[in-house]
């Protein structure tokens, strides 16, 4: 018993020392750190809940157009050299300022999408003017935007009466399962160009096959980045080009961006192949070579009486 008592007396001071100088200070530090970071964590949780509330509605779009072919009408200059009026009887998704096409009203796309907006030369006032013009021209189209624009739309009461959906663009394709169609109710890869967003949306809605129009991507040959239309409220607001379509940056930046874009096209092609979805490039010319080519006119055979 004396032996055990001696051990106890020798050990007791160690536990006291450990608690007073190691355990208690560490517990105090953790409490202070938790208190310091609490506002940031609460903001992050609130933002997560806000985004989830917005994107969860997209479950209604899942397989909505299963088995229907879909045309993603983009804005390259080549669109001027194609007759797109036969699209009036098709499932069509337009992008950005595509509503400026003279045949837009006749075609009446069911969907219109815009990627996350980069502010800088384009100000809040510019975006408001653009969205108001967009609303006036879109007909009954469902609008799909980045969740980063939701606050602006809510505060300015834009797109009143329109079905507006939001997606959360975050990260790279390599951050997501390589064979899985991106789920619009959660986060999806951020995009270099709006056609990639259009392809993800159409695949989620179950559409197939998918056809790209106006994806020229040939400015690395021409030195100009132009559209089939003349800009209106956004004239001179493009960060990558001047008002005449001349590139502002050097080729290092442009070619780096193109490499990233082509990588995204390849990723979406691999996802589509894994899910039995064919993607065709029906653009008149251009340099996009990740998808098989098809002539637009061949998709609308002449009906004889």
């Amino acid at each position: 018993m004396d032996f055990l008592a001696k051990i106890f007396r020798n050990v007791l001071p160690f536990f006291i020392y450990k608690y007073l100088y190691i355990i208690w200070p560490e517990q105090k530090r953790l409490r202070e750190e938790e208190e310091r970071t609490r506002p940031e964590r609460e903001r992050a949780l609130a933002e997560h809940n806000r985004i989830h509330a917005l994107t969860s509605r997209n479950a209604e779009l899942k397989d909505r157009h299963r088995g229907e072919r879909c045309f993603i009408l983009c804005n390259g200059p080549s669109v001027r050299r194609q007759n797109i009026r036969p699209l009036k009887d098709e499932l069509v998704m337009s992008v950005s300022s595509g509503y400026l096409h003279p045949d837009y009203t006749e075609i009446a796309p069911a969907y219109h999408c815009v990627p996350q907006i980069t502010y800088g030369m384009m100000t809040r006032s510019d975006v408001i003017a653009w969205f108001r013009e967009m609303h006036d021209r879109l007909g009954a189209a469902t609008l799909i935007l980045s969740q980063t624009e939701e606050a602006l739309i809510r505060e300015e009461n834009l797109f009143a009466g329109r079905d507006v959906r939001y997606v959360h663009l975050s990260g790279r394709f390599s951050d997501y399962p390589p064979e899985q169609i991106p789920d619009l109710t959660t986060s999806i890869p951020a995009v270099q160009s709006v056609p990639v967003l259009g392809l993800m949306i159409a695949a989620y809605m179950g559409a197939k096959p998918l056809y790209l129009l106006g994806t020229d991507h040939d400015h690395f040959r021409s030195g100009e980045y132009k559209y089939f239309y003349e800009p209106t409220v956004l004239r001179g607001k493009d960060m990558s080009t001047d008002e005449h379509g001349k590139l502002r940056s050097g080729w290092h930046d442009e070619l780096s961006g193109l490499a990233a874009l082509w990588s995204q096209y390849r990723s979406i092609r691999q996802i589509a192949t894994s899910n039995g979805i064919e993607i065709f490039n029906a653009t008149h010319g251009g340099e996009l070579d990740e998808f098989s080519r098809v002539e637009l006119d061949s998709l609308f055979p002449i009906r004889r009486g």
Side-chain angles (χ1 to χ4, degrees):
M1 294 297 293
D2 290 340
F3 175 73
L4 294 175
K6 183 177 180 181
I7 293 176
F8 182 76
R9 285 195 301 271
N10 290 336
V11 170
L12 182 60
F14 170 74
F15 282 108
I16 294 174
Y17 172 84
K18 184 177 180 180
Y19 178 78
L20 292 177
Y21 295 97
I22 299 177
I23 297 177
W24 186 79
E26 178 64 11
Q27 290 176 340
K28 182 173 182 291
R29 186 192 68 80
L30 290 175
R31 288 194 299 270
E32 291 174 348
E33 178 68 12
E34 182 179 3
E35 190 65 26
R36 184 184 67 81
T37 60
R38 179 179 296 171
E40 181 180 348
R41 288 184 287 109
E42 289 178 347
R43 285 194 297 270
L45 179 60
E47 179 65 4
H48 171 80
N49 291 338
R50 184 188 73 86
I51 292 172
H52 177 71
L54 293 173
T55 60
S56 60
R57 292 185 60 236
N58 294 332
E60 300 168 355
L61 302 178
K62 179 68 175 175
D63 293 333
R64 174 182 284 185
H65 297 287
R66 175 167 289 279
E68 296 181 50
R69 67 179 184 177
C70 178
F71 293 82
I72 300 172
L73 178 60
C74 302
N75 299 332
S78 63
V79 175
R80 289 196 298 262
R81 301 192 293 275
Q82 292 179 293
N83 175 21
I84 64 170
R85 287 188 295 277
L87 296 181
K88 66 182 180 179
D89 298 319
E90 301 287 340
L91 175 62
V92 179
M93 181 184 305
S94 53
V95 304
S96 299
S97 293
Y99 54 81
L100 295 174
H101 195 284
D103 295 325
Y104 190 87
T105 301
E106 181 177 358
I107 296 166
Y111 299 92
H112 186 82
C113 67
V114 179
Q116 182 171 333
I117 294 171
T118 301
Y119 290 82
M121 294 183 66
M122 192 185 304
T123 66
R124 178 186 173 95
S125 296
D126 293 328
V127 174
I128 292 171
W130 185 34
F131 281 171
R132 284 176 175 159
E133 178 186 76
M134 191 180 296
H135 184 53
D136 289 341
R137 305 277 191 103
L138 283 186
T142 293
L143 179 61
I144 303 174
L145 301 170
S146 167
Q147 57 83 22
T148 52
E149 273 57 74
E150 186 272 336
L152 171 66
I153 290 166
R154 173 168 35 83
E155 292 164 5
E156 298 294 332
N157 193 30
L158 302 171
F159 300 115
R162 183 177 301 281
D163 182 15
V164 180
R165 305 296 176 116
Y166 296 95
V167 292
H168 182 218
L169 300 166
S170 177
R172 300 168 295 181
F173 275 90
S174 59
D175 299 326
Y176 295 81
E179 297 181 350
Q180 182 176 309
I181 295 173
D183 183 353
L184 301 191
T185 67
T186 60
S187 299
I188 62 175
V191 299
Q192 288 288 116
S193 189
V194 66
V196 180
L197 175 58
L199 289 170
M200 287 193 286
I201 294 170
Y204 181 78
M205 293 194 297
K208 62 179 181 180
L210 311 181
Y211 298 93
L212 289 169
L213 291 165
T215 51
D216 296 31
H217 296 315
D218 58 1
H219 61 282
F220 62 93
R221 289 187 179 276
S222 65
E224 297 179 332
Y225 197 111
K226 292 188 174 182
Y227 307 98
F228 70 75
Y229 56 82
E230 287 297 320
T232 52
V233 296
L234 296 185
R235 180 180 295 276
K237 297 295 182 176
D238 193 326
M239 293 181 65
S240 60
T241 67
D242 63 20
E243 61 181 297
H244 304 294
K246 296 293 184 180
L247 300 175
R248 297 182 189 272
S249 61
W251 284 116
H252 177 276
D253 293 341
E254 288 298 325
L255 293 177
S256 296
L258 282 169
L261 175 58
W262 250 249
S263 177
Q264 291 186 354
Y265 277 126
R266 179 157 298 187
S267 293
I268 197 69
R269 174 168 62 84
Q270 292 169 343
I271 290 171
T273 300
S274 298
N275 289 274
I277 302 170
E278 293 182 290
I279 301 176
F280 296 97
N281 187 1
T283 300
H284 183 79
E287 297 297 332
L288 181 58
D289 60 353
E290 284 296 314
F291 309 105
S292 298
R293 290 277 186 166
V294 65
E295 290 293 330
L296 179 62
D297 291 344
S298 71
L299 303 175
F300 302 97
I302 298 175
R303 294 183 175 86
R304 302 185 183 279

